[in-house]
Amino acid sequence: MAMTSRASTEPGPADIRGRVAELDSIREKALAGPSRQATEAQHAKGKLTARERIELLLDPGSFQEVEQLRRHRASGFGLEVKKPYTDGVITGWGAVEGRTVFVYAHDFRIFGGALGEAHATKIHKIMDMAIATGAPLVSLNDGAGARIQEGVSALAGYGGIFQRNTKASGVIPQISVMLGPCAGGAAYSPALTDFVFMVRETSQMFITGPDVVKAVTGEEISQNGLGGADVHAETSGVCHFAYDDEETCIAEVRYLLSLLPQNNREAPPRVRGADYIDRRSDALLDLVPADGNRPYDMAKVIEEVVDDGEYLEVHEGWARNIICALARLDGQTVGFVANQPQTLAGVLDIEASEKAARFVQMCDAFNIPIMTFLDVPGFLPGVDQEHGGIIRHGAKLLYAYCNATVPRVSLVLRKAYGGAYIVMDSQSIGADLTYAWPTNEIAVMGAEGAANVIFRRQIAEAEDPEAMRQKMVKEYKAELMHPYYAAERGLVDDVIDPARTREVLIRSLAMLRRKHADLPSRKHGNPPQ
């Protein structure tokens, strides 16, 4: 009888099917979101829903959601009667080109994407999983900041995110995609990540919004004027990439991920194309003028050298006097740092130093070799630069290069003057290989300036000062600035035919592939800030 009693209380097949049907109904509600009207309102703003964004980011059918049925436990201010599934954030993992990627996406349709305790806990969990498994983390941000109804609990949730961002820094790639208004704490997490993407018109980032700015300072400004994509891509430098629509933006996130490793213990994936290792680039002979005072587009030089002419420029709109880009050489991901003579003659200034330093650190953290192309007349002079701390900011780039242990190859195309020559990965600060074109001019300063200093008395006492000055300039160039001066002293490993640049760089990388270098034992350095 006892056995019969136990059997009668166990759920039969019909009960299991009923529970599965119930689960399917709940899941359908979670997948649909709060309402059709909320979805239509999101679309009316030119924005996709969180799930639509995840579908664009990940390979089809690869997304595995975590804590879909999570609901908040808060009460007060009407929260006890509004407990939607997911609590306004979708978390999980999937694949991009077959490699694991973790993702969380704010759902603006639920509480405006605002962060509460349960919401934050879901994000903490997925971040911990990404760190533990060594896979990239992508955040699709569209949230209104902390959930005010939950008070300090929401703020503590942000603290947990910031702590994990810092823990993951240099361990796994972290990419923030800004797809809506992100204010206050919601803007700090992206600032801690490796790359920030924004969409024009629909995404903004600011610590305090226009209303607060007006109340405190009296200044009137729109959301886009204060923290829109172009502002952060061109003025503040907060944003690395800006696009006109979400589809293009997310497609570029996928492309960036294809260039990066899963974590700091791996090399980036190697993807060989149809380009030849020994392809000559005769176009370079005409692309770069021998006259050091004539500008040209350094981006075209990079395009001519890399595989299939494809590269991804980072911070394209900010500090345009220097180029930072990811590309491939013989299928291997490489980071390019190059002066841009088209803007400010390619000088180093505060913003260019910061931009390049951050890029060098990122490449070094993720095992990406660094190619440095020099055509630099020096640091930008001026009161604003000196008072703004050009010494301190320039030292950031110097520190980043000196600290980098990845393969480093530098190439002097034309000018390489003064301290800027040293800072731009010269042999003296640890470049593994240094090459130069026959058009190189490596010196303390330009010949004209040097002659004016060294031969000041002779020029002043001459019957024809200008003729004497020209004579001394010519003499200085012949003695100290000829193309082989540095090579004769071992400061340049070789002077190469510009048309062979691609081949030389690829063969150098092949030799350096197994390079290993240890830094001194220490908790961490104290880089200039």
Side-chain angles (χ1 to χ4, degrees):
M1 293 293 293
M3 290 178 63
T4 304
S5 175
R6 283 199 300 272
S8 65
T9 60
E10 292 175 359
D15 296 311
I16 294 175
R17 288 188 177 87
R19 290 298 177 90
V20 171
E22 181 185 34
L23 172 62
D24 289 342
S25 176
I26 293 173
R27 197 176 302 284
E28 187 177 339
K29 288 181 181 178
L31 291 171
S35 68
R36 186 181 66 185
Q37 290 78 10
T39 301
E40 290 174 350
Q42 182 81 345
H43 288 162
K45 297 173 185 174
K47 297 161 62 178
L48 301 174
T49 65
R51 294 191 185 278
E52 289 169 341
R53 291 163 176 166
I54 290 173
E55 287 178 7
L56 285 176
L57 174 67
L58 301 177
D59 296 346
S62 68
F63 182 54
Q64 179 64 50
E65 191 168 351
V66 175
E67 294 196 357
Q68 182 186 74
L69 306 183
R70 187 69 178 259
R71 304 164 93 174
H72 72 77
R73 298 174 292 180
S75 60
F77 306 102
L79 287 178
E80 62 276 2
V81 297
K82 190 177 181 182
K83 295 188 175 184
Y85 293 113
T86 74
D87 198 48
V89 65
I90 299 166
T91 59
W93 75 88
V96 173
E97 297 189 5
R99 297 192 301 156
T100 299
V101 171
F102 287 83
V103 60
Y104 68 85
H106 298 133
D107 192 339
F108 193 82
R109 300 171 302 169
I110 298 175
F111 299 125
L115 182 136
E117 184 180 17
H119 182 122
T121 302
K122 288 181 65 175
I123 295 175
H124 296 168
K125 182 172 185 175
I126 214 68
M127 294 181 78
D128 289 339
M129 292 172 71
I131 296 168
T133 59
L137 174 71
V138 178
S139 62
L140 303 175
N141 299 273
D142 188 4
R147 196 174 298 170
I148 299 172
Q149 300 94 320
E150 294 193 31
V152 72
S153 296
L155 295 179
Y158 271 126
I161 294 173
F162 304 157
Q163 183 187 50
R164 287 166 174 82
N165 283 137
T166 305
K167 182 180 178 182
S169 181
V171 178
I172 58 171
Q174 299 180 85
I175 299 174
S176 299
V177 190
M178 316 309 292
L179 300 165
C182 297
Y188 275 123
S189 174
L192 292 170
T193 61
D194 300 303
F195 299 98
V196 176
F197 288 71
M198 294 186 73
V199 176
R200 295 184 177 92
E201 302 303 323
T202 57
S203 65
Q204 299 89 28
M205 295 173 68
F206 34 69
I207 301 304
T208 55
D211 292 342
V212 176
V213 170
K214 182 179 179 181
V216 174
T217 69
E219 299 172 281
E220 290 193 24
I221 192 167
S222 67
Q223 285 195 346
N224 279 319
L226 181 63
D230 287 329
V231 168
H232 287 310
E234 299 173 10
T235 304
S236 74
V238 171
C239 168
H240 298 78
F241 305 96
Y243 299 99
D244 291 331
D245 58 80
E246 293 190 16
E247 291 83 357
T248 304
C249 180
I250 294 174
E252 290 299 293
V253 174
R254 284 178 58 89
Y255 179 51
L256 173 59
L257 285 168
S258 75
L259 294 166
L260 300 175
Q262 290 292 90
N263 54 64
N264 65 339
R265 299 184 301 277
E266 299 181 6
R270 195 167 186 183
V271 182
R272 283 192 176 92
D275 215 339
Y276 296 104
I277 293 175
D278 56 355
R279 168 173 59 79
R280 284 182 61 84
S281 301
D282 290 306
L284 293 175
L285 299 171
D286 300 315
L287 189 59
V288 180
D291 181 357
N293 293 319
R294 288 180 58 193
Y296 63 93
D297 188 356
M298 182 67 83
K300 292 188 181 299
V301 175
I302 295 172
E303 182 179 338
E304 186 64 30
V305 170
V306 301
D307 290 359
D308 305 311
E310 294 183 358
Y311 64 93
L312 180 64
E313 188 169 349
V314 179
H315 266 144
E316 181 179 3
W318 182 59
R320 297 185 184 213
N321 42 322
I322 201 160
I323 294 173
C324 297
L326 292 170
R328 286 193 172 94
L329 282 173
D330 191 29
Q332 181 178 0
T333 300
V334 174
F336 282 87
V337 178
N339 306 111
Q340 174 55 290
Q342 272 194 338
T343 303
L344 295 175
V347 297
L348 286 178
D349 59 4
I350 289 173
E351 291 185 347
S353 299
E354 287 192 330
K355 171 180 170 176
R358 172 78 172 179
F359 184 76
V360 168
Q361 288 174 172
M362 184 281 298
C363 289
D364 188 50
F366 295 117
N367 308 311
I368 298 172
I370 301 168
M371 301 284 115
T372 305
F373 285 6
L374 287 86
D375 192 346
V376 59
F379 281 94
L380 181 65
V383 174
D384 289 345
Q385 289 291 307
E386 295 295 345
H387 288 186
I390 184 63
I391 297 172
R392 177 168 51 88
H393 293 286
K396 293 179 184 179
L397 180 55
L398 180 61
Y399 188 99
Y401 269 125
C402 290
N403 208 43
T405 60
V406 293
R408 291 154 50 190
V409 180
S410 63
L411 172 67
V412 181
L413 281 69
R414 294 195 311 188
K415 300 183 298 294
Y417 294 163
Y421 154 65
I422 300 172
V423 168
M424 289 288 292
D425 206 19
S426 63
Q427 190 180 96
S428 61
I429 66 168
D432 296 298
L433 289 167
T434 303
Y435 298 107
W437 284 2
T439 47
N440 81 82
E441 293 181 359
I442 303 174
V444 175
M445 63 175 67
E448 289 78 6
N452 287 337
V453 173
I454 298 172
F455 307 111
R456 180 175 65 251
R457 181 175 297 175
Q458 292 95 316
I459 293 172
E461 294 174 352
E463 291 183 8
D464 187 343
E466 181 57 27
M468 176 61 73
R469 192 180 73 83
Q470 291 299 330
K471 178 185 176 183
M472 294 297 101
V473 167
K474 187 175 181 180
E475 182 178 319
Y476 183 85
K477 279 187 174 182
E479 288 291 324
L480 298 177
M481 291 182 66
H482 62 80
Y484 308 103
Y485 184 85
E488 289 170 359
R489 286 152 182 79
L491 298 175
V492 167
D493 292 296
D494 198 9
V495 179
I496 65 172
D497 176 357
R500 291 187 59 242
T501 299
R502 172 179 166 81
E503 178 189 355
V504 170
L505 295 182
I506 289 175
R507 295 193 186 283
S508 300
L509 275 179
M511 181 277 292
L512 291 167
R513 192 159 291 136
R514 296 187 181 278
K515 174 190 173 184
H516 177 75
D518 290 320
L519 291 171
S521 177
R522 59 186 175 187
K523 186 175 182 180
H524 56 74
N526 187 23
Q529 297 295 324

